[in-house]
Amino acid sequence: FSVFLEILSCKGPEPTIRATLESEAVVGKELIVKTIVTNNGEDNDFVVSAAGFESWAELVSINPKDISIAKGEFQEITVTLKPTKAGTQSFNIRTTADGETSSQPVSVTIEEGGLFSTLDLSNMTFYLIIGIVTVLILIFLILIIRALRSPSRAPQF
């Protein structure tokens, strides 16, 4: 006798995606999310991407973007965003392998940046030098004004 078998879906086990915040979550500063992708299926190549952040951040990098993971193994990926808007925000980290996409939602609370949070730390030396020069100029001007205002004492004969 014969049996008719209809396959409705042929989907392998989805990878596990875990995300951890590795930096401050402040507007204007880089937001670094460490992501660990664990392969729960057979050896495979994965493409990692991010989506849903466009309204509140800019994508800086995903490193590495293309990964090969053996069965039962994991790979660490770094997703870097630059927030432009404060508040509770969310996005998705996605993996694609063999045409199948898996997604992990990530939620983060972004704080409003202060005056110094928008400054690039590599320029802090420049700002420090400008501040010191300004203070020195002010001291020099105060000394000149005092010297001009003090009465000159001429020797008396």
Side-chain angles (χ1 to χ4, degrees):
F1 75 88
S2 65
V3 176
F4 180 71
L5 178 64
E6 181 180 351
I7 299 175
L8 299 175
S9 176
C10 185
K11 187 175 181 181
E14 289 190 5
T16 304
I17 305 169
R18 290 179 293 161
T20 307
L21 185 62
E22 292 289 311
S23 68
E24 290 182 297
V26 178
V27 171
K29 288 190 172 183
E30 287 190 354
L31 173 75
I32 300 171
V33 179
K34 182 173 85 173
T35 306
I36 296 177
V37 177
T38 304
N39 184 1
N40 298 319
E42 297 301 317
D43 295 3
N44 216 332
D45 295 325
F46 294 85
V47 176
V48 181
S49 62
F53 61 85
E54 295 84 357
S55 65
W56 61 270
E58 299 169 2
L59 179 63
V60 175
S61 67
I62 297 175
N63 190 25
K65 200 169 195 167
D66 299 314
I67 54 177
S68 293
I69 308 175
K71 179 180 182 177
E73 297 293 320
F74 66 89
Q75 177 78 32
E76 185 176 302
I77 295 99
T78 302
V79 177
T80 307
L81 301 170
K82 190 166 188 178
T84 57
K85 186 177 170 184
T88 301
Q89 309 294 345
S90 62
F91 69 103
N92 291 308
I93 297 174
R94 294 181 177 164
T95 60
T96 304
D98 294 333
E100 296 178 15
T101 300
S102 299
S103 183
Q104 174 65 47
V106 177
S107 181
V108 63
T109 301
I110 308 295
E111 296 177 11
E112 191 67 47
L115 171 64
F116 293 105
S117 68
T118 58
L119 298 177
D120 185 4
L121 290 179
S122 63
N123 291 330
M124 287 304 286
T125 304
F126 173 75
Y127 294 116
L128 181 62
I129 291 171
I130 295 296
I132 291 171
V133 169
T134 303
V135 169
L136 290 175
I137 290 172
L138 286 173
I139 291 171
F140 184 71
L141 289 174
I142 290 170
L143 290 175
I144 290 174
I145 292 171
R146 281 190 176 177
L148 292 175
R149 285 192 179 171
S150 66
S152 62
R153 297 185 184 203
Q156 295 180 358
F157 294 103

